[in-house]
Amino acid sequence: MAKIVILTGAGISAESGIRTFRASDGLWEEHRIEDVATPEGFMADPGLVHRFYNARRAAAAAAAPNAAHRALAELEQDGRHEVLVVTQNVDDLHERGGSANVIHMHGTLTGALCHSCGHRWSAPAEMAPRDPCPACQKPATRPDIVWFGEMPYQMEEIWTALRAADLFVSIGTSGNVYPAAGFVADAGHAGVPTLELNLEPSAGSRYFDEARHGPATAIVPAWVREMLG
Ligand code: APR
């Protein structure tokens, strides 16, 4: 059974109404990335960071999976390929679109993490700095999101899957943030064919064996139809 590893980024959720990160003004929903997506930003103003992610959580809950999410689920459910989705997205639109085999390398909006004892639990709709950890009771809760300067989750598992893959596909990511931006080179070194599906050429577009450009809801279902014959 052919093994396909699919990396996704903000571009796959854009047509569900969730804004991508690298808008032309360099801000993310009117905030500097340093203020809302770094451990230092959280230490400086945890209230602001919680309010920011509370709003992202509400936006993700109000959004619906689109045809690109659903097409990847169809590819997995068809059963002829072994599909692993590695997403940089913190929304749960892949799961709600029907994908089961998903790694959230940058964490999820639906998770809470205690930065004192490391306990994880389901995030409530609204989180605040004084919320106690259900395990150690310390007021040390944070969103279970991987911020800049932190190690993404499940990297060993991802690299093992990448090296063993028969195809690597990158969808809707600008190729600016490592280690995900390096997956195309990792796959290439292992002799794995690589395909980019993005609105426009990404920063690493030239490293892919093939690149197709257009909106995800058009080019992802078209590619899946090809794969399923
Ligand atoms: N269809 C396909 N691609 C799209 C669409 C669309 N409808 N709309 C936008 N894109 C593309 C853009 O052209 C861009 O290349 O999606 C990409 C989005 O890039 P970013 O906003 O940089 O998002 P991403 O690559 O996921 O960011 C990586 O950076 O901010 C951190 O941790 C955060 O996971 C995030 C990481």
Side-chain angles (χ1 to χ4, degrees):
M1 197 156 60
K3 298 186 176 77
I4 309 176
V5 174
I6 302 170
L7 171 70
T8 66
I12 198 166
S13 295
E15 290 163 87
S16 293
I18 297 180
R19 272 171 65 182
T20 59
F21 304 101
R22 288 174 180 75
S24 49
D25 57 8
L27 297 178
W28 180 13
E29 300 279 356
E30 325 313 329
H31 292 278
R32 295 187 325 144
I33 282 185
E34 298 83 333
D35 294 339
V36 293
T38 62
E40 295 77 16
F42 183 65
M43 265 158 37
D45 192 346
L48 169 78
V49 175
H50 275 302
R51 283 194 301 279
F52 177 79
Y53 286 99
N54 289 343
R56 305 282 75 71
R57 191 175 299 113
N66 65 47
H69 298 104
R70 289 195 300 271
L72 297 187
E74 200 186 320
L75 184 66
E76 179 185 329
Q77 284 161 9
D78 171 80
R80 273 176 284 169
H81 305 86
E82 198 179 307
V83 178
L84 171 65
V85 173
V86 177
T87 188
Q88 299 168 91
N89 298 344
V90 294
D91 66 54
D92 59 354
L93 295 181
H94 281 302
E95 287 87 344
R96 287 201 274 136
S99 289
N101 203 14
V102 183
I103 291 179
H104 281 271
M105 64 181 290
H106 291 171
T108 63
L109 288 164
T110 51
L113 168 67
C114 175
H115 61 80
S116 178
C117 75
H119 180 66
R120 287 194 161 81
W121 67 102
S122 275
E126 297 271 319
M127 291 171 70
R130 304 300 301 168
D131 289 349
C133 163
C136 73
Q137 309 306 325
K138 291 206 182 113
T141 69
R142 55 168 280 180
D144 192 6
I145 303 279
V146 177
W147 287 323
F148 286 92
E150 298 182 319
M151 185 60 79
Y153 295 150
Q154 293 176 264
M155 288 311 301
E156 283 306 322
E157 201 177 329
I158 295 169
W159 275 316
T160 301
L162 256 186
R163 285 191 290 263
D166 297 295
L167 178 64
F168 169 66
V169 187
S170 172
I171 303 175
T173 175
S174 61
N176 280 299
V177 176
Y178 285 82
F183 289 173
V184 60
D186 298 331
H189 290 142
V192 178
T194 55
L195 168 66
E196 167 167 281
L197 302 175
N198 203 47
L199 187 62
E200 59 199 354
S202 70
S205 213
R206 65 186 178 283
Y207 300 117
F208 286 85
D209 296 317
E210 189 190 341
R212 301 181 190 178
H213 299 128
T217 56
I219 62 177
V220 175
W223 169 70
V224 168
R225 279 196 297 274
E226 261 174 49
M227 293 299 293
L228 297 182

